Amino acid sequence: MDTDVNSETRSIFIVGLRNAHAMENQALSIMKPQVKRIENYPQVADRLQQHITETEGQIARLESILDRLGEDHSTLKDTAMSMVGSMAAMGHSVAGDEILKNSFANFAFENYEIAAYNSLLVLGEAGGFNQAINSLQQNLSEEEKMADWLKQNLRGVTLQYARLREAGEIAKS
């Protein structure tokens, strides 16, 4: 446990960890419905399923960090963010270009997560929370890899969507 329990940096760090935990729960509530609906983009479904597994590991790492600091995650934040994620996923499901909207939203969300982890790493280093650094770096690395994958595959997904539409086939998911 950190010895400087009253520091403002510690307080900011804890809030950031709780926010990250809620953010990752939101990510799950977005990705799980998406992967269930995908029919024509197996490469996307496979990568989303892989990232769901990674995200579950990220949540476990965040819980471990919070536990070592004698803190819990925020159930209220987790619930609220999961509900927001579920609503976002439902909103795209009725769109004719669902796969494209999901691709855009997923890419944006991954970059949001990257920013959050970069900020947590700064706070972790500034506050001397050295035991958290490796776990946060691992989470960041997974998010960066997912964002890179989404960026590299957007062209192919877009072209596949257009080809399916041209052929008169269901292309949305």
Side-chain angles (χ1 to χ4, degrees):
M1 187 191 284
D2 178 56
T3 54
D4 190 10
V5 283
N6 295 320
S7 79
E8 197 61 32
T9 301
R10 182 185 192 285
S11 188
I12 296 166
F13 188 60
I14 297 302
V15 169
L17 291 169
R18 288 178 177 150
N19 289 342
H21 190 274
M23 170 185 74
E24 295 301 354
N25 277 292
Q26 180 181 13
L28 288 178
S29 71
I30 292 169
M31 290 186 293
K32 286 182 176 182
Q34 283 180 14
V35 80
K36 287 179 184 173
R37 294 181 48 76
I38 294 175
E39 298 173 15
N40 296 309
Y41 307 86
Q43 73 284 14
V44 176
D46 289 347
R47 188 58 179 100
L48 279 176
Q49 190 58 56
Q50 178 186 342
H51 197 54
I52 286 168
T53 301
E54 290 170 346
T55 301
E56 290 166 343
Q58 292 168 6
I59 290 169
R61 285 189 288 275
L62 290 165
E63 288 173 354
S64 178
I65 294 167
L66 284 164
D67 187 53
R68 283 193 307 260
L69 294 168
E71 301 286 343
D72 292 321
H73 60 88
S74 171
T75 304
L76 180 61
K77 283 183 185 182
D78 289 352
T79 302
M81 296 303 279
S82 290
M83 288 174 47
V84 169
S86 294
M87 294 190 56
M90 284 191 314
H92 290 176
S93 70
V94 297
D97 59 349
E98 176 184 8
I99 192 69
L100 296 181
K101 283 185 172 53
N102 285 345
S103 295
F104 306 157
N106 290 346
F107 183 68
F109 197 81
E110 292 304 320
N111 280 283
Y112 178 86
E113 290 175 305
I114 289 166
Y117 283 117
N118 275 307
S119 179
L120 279 170
L121 282 163
V122 169
L123 288 168
E125 291 168 2
F129 305 108
N130 299 326
Q131 291 182 332
I133 300 300
N134 287 340
S135 293
L136 293 172
Q137 188 61 53
Q138 186 174 352
N139 286 10
L140 173 62
S141 177
E142 290 170 356
E143 299 302 354
E144 289 172 333
K145 287 176 185 167
M146 184 63 180
D148 287 344
W149 187 92
L150 289 163
K151 182 178 180 181
Q152 292 169 7
N153 285 273
L154 182 59
R155 178 181 173 82
V157 169
T158 301
L159 290 172
Q160 184 177 355
Y161 171 78
R163 281 192 297 273
L164 288 168
R165 289 288 304 264
E166 286 292 329
E169 297 180 33
I170 296 172
K172 69 185 243 173
S173 63

